Amino acid sequence: MSEVLLTTTVGSFGKPDYLQKARNQLARGRIGPGELRELERKATAEWIRIQEEVGLDILVDGEMYRGDMVAFFAERLDGFRIGGLVRSYGNRYYHKPIIAGKVRRPKPLTVEWFEYAQSLTQRPVKGMLTGPYTMLDWSFNEAYPTRRDAALALAEVVRQEAEDLERAGARYIQIDEPAIHARPEEIDIAIEAMRVVTQNLRARTISHICYGDFAAIYPKVLELPVDQLDLAMANYEYRWLGLFDQHPFTKELAIGIVDVHRHALESVDEAAEGIHKGLRYVGAERLYPHPDCGLKTRTVEETIAKCRVVVEAARKVRAELAAKVPA
Ligand SMILES: [Zn+2]
């Protein structure tokens, strides 16, 4: 594994056609959950092989078994009910979960997927969880007296899952908080809840934060108790880096260098330029190039092409850095 500018991805990849088809067939009762699961395992294995072939350093399982990042957990935790359809962004609708009782984790939720994916490769695979604040913000709370109480209850189940992932061998555990800037006045709740999750972990911890007003939570977000912040940058023309001039960035940075909402493919030079922008603020051993966000809305082919640009850009910049080091 290269030692600097380790490349990775945010977590989700496009689902192959046979898996999309199987998910629809399950919804209509044409196949059973066992058959779907076999195809999810097949797709996971394909994505591990593709990531190795593309040359990524830190892998993900691709989330073939997930629909939505909150619903997946809500459907498997005690205390949640699945509510009616609400509109999220654009024309996307989803069933917003309802916290209707005391939240409990009846059994591990993602550990088997982590173990399976990690068994297929020598490279590290990240454990992938949704953070307690985002689970709260994307659900209705009908059970706990305050949002803080609900966030702390969710933090407890996320902590259990994170500690199980670590016991299963995860060296990197990512706890995503894309909703953290939804209500900047509540950021202390997100920080307190994350502390519950990460306080006993020795694994490297990461939190992905994407679309929204990052300036509204900076520099306060540096108090989020994780080792690495994983940020969309390409889509914002790297404007968030300007914030680091006023207040130094103190964590490792996973920097988004390709825009996942554009079909058009960035050039390697363009993506490499993004890495150079990040290097003005964060050393190469603490900078992790990757796509801005999850790739589940892209096709399999687009996902692979975007990842290839990330890997080639990192190689280019590594070579440039090596050439600069005096012999
Ligand atoms: Zn994202």
Side-chain angles (χ1 to χ4, degrees):
M1 206 157 90
S2 358
E3 281 162 26
V4 300
L5 300 175
L6 296 181
T7 55
T8 189
T9 58
V10 171
S12 64
F13 291 143
K15 292 187 176 68
D17 289 343
Y18 63 78
L19 187 53
Q20 289 291 9
K21 226 174 269 170
R23 288 168 68 91
N24 294 337
Q25 284 176 323
L26 180 84
R28 291 194 214 104
R30 301 228 179 100
I31 62 167
E35 282 167 90
L36 179 66
R37 195 181 152 78
E38 273 320 299
L39 295 174
E40 290 166 345
R41 283 169 66 91
K42 173 177 143 86
T44 303
E46 286 169 3
W47 274 122
I48 292 289
R49 190 186 49 70
I50 292 168
Q51 290 174 89
E52 286 191 331
E53 190 267 315
V54 167
L56 289 158
D57 297 299
I58 304 169
L59 311 192
V60 297
D61 66 23
E63 299 173 12
M64 294 297 106
Y65 50 92
R66 283 196 204 176
D68 171 83
M69 65 182 287
V70 168
F72 171 81
F73 292 96
E75 283 162 7
R76 287 160 181 81
L77 291 168
D78 292 342
F80 273 96
R81 227 163 11 90
I82 301 305
L85 279 178
V86 298
R87 191 170 179 165
S88 58
Y89 52 93
N91 281 320
R92 293 174 80 89
Y93 286 80
Y94 76 113
H95 287 275
K96 188 164 179 172
I98 300 165
I99 307 170
K102 192 166 164 33
V103 175
R104 278 207 195 81
R105 187 188 70 144
K107 59 177 187 185
L109 312 165
T110 62
V111 177
E112 261 180 75
W113 285 108
F114 165 77
E115 286 176 332
Y116 176 59
Q118 186 65 82
S119 76
L120 301 168
T121 178
Q122 298 296 316
R123 299 183 196 187
V125 175
K126 294 195 270 194
M128 296 303 237
L129 301 172
T130 301
Y133 185 76
T134 296
M135 280 205 215
L136 166 71
D137 197 60
W138 292 359
S139 306
F140 294 112
N141 167 32
E142 293 181 355
Y144 290 88
T146 66
R147 283 168 63 86
R148 174 174 172 269
D149 291 327
L152 292 177
L154 288 161
E156 181 53 28
V157 298
V158 180
R159 179 192 66 77
Q160 292 167 8
E161 186 72 12
E163 291 182 3
D164 280 346
L165 283 168
E166 183 173 82
R167 266 190 289 275
R171 289 155 53 196
Y172 297 86
I173 299 179
Q174 183 170 315
I175 306 125
D176 292 332
E177 286 290 18
I180 194 168
H181 35 35
R183 307 182 195 201
E185 70 280 9
E186 285 189 341
I187 193 169
D188 281 318
I189 296 177
I191 291 169
E192 185 183 6
M194 187 64 85
R195 187 160 296 118
V196 172
V197 177
T198 60
Q199 60 189 351
N200 295 322
L201 296 176
R202 288 173 306 277
R204 189 84 116 256
T205 52
I206 302 160
S207 194
H208 171 60
I209 295 173
C210 53
Y211 303 102
D213 185 9
F214 186 70
I217 56 166
Y218 194 82
K220 180 77 183 172
V221 70
L222 295 173
E223 291 173 32
L224 194 71
V226 292
D227 301 311
Q228 183 181 128
L229 289 183
D230 177 309
L231 305 176
M233 286 282 180
N235 182 260
Y236 294 95
E237 287 156 354
Y238 299 89
R239 82 173 78 121
W240 306 134
L241 289 172
L243 298 168
F244 303 171
D245 286 322
Q246 279 124 53
H247 197 292
F249 187 76
T250 52
K251 295 182 183 296
E252 295 183 339
L253 175 64
I255 185 170
I257 60 167
V258 294
D259 184 351
V260 305
H261 289 317
R262 277 206 309 167
H263 291 281
L265 194 59
E266 289 79 359
S267 70
V268 172
D269 284 350
E270 200 180 335
E273 197 39 53
I275 298 176
H276 280 297
K277 289 187 175 107
L279 283 171
R280 288 189 216 139
Y281 301 94
V282 181
E285 64 296 331
R286 291 165 62 81
L287 192 66
Y288 297 73
H290 76 341
D292 270 353
C293 188
L295 287 151
K296 72 175 180 184
T297 59
R298 298 274 70 89
T299 65
V300 170
E301 292 70 26
E302 285 171 334
T303 300
I304 295 171
K306 294 262 173 185
C307 290
R308 256 191 230 291
V309 169
V310 168
V311 169
E312 283 169 24
R315 282 186 186 145
K316 178 169 190 277
V317 177
R318 276 182 211 133
E320 289 164 4
L321 293 177
K324 270 192 208 157
V325 175

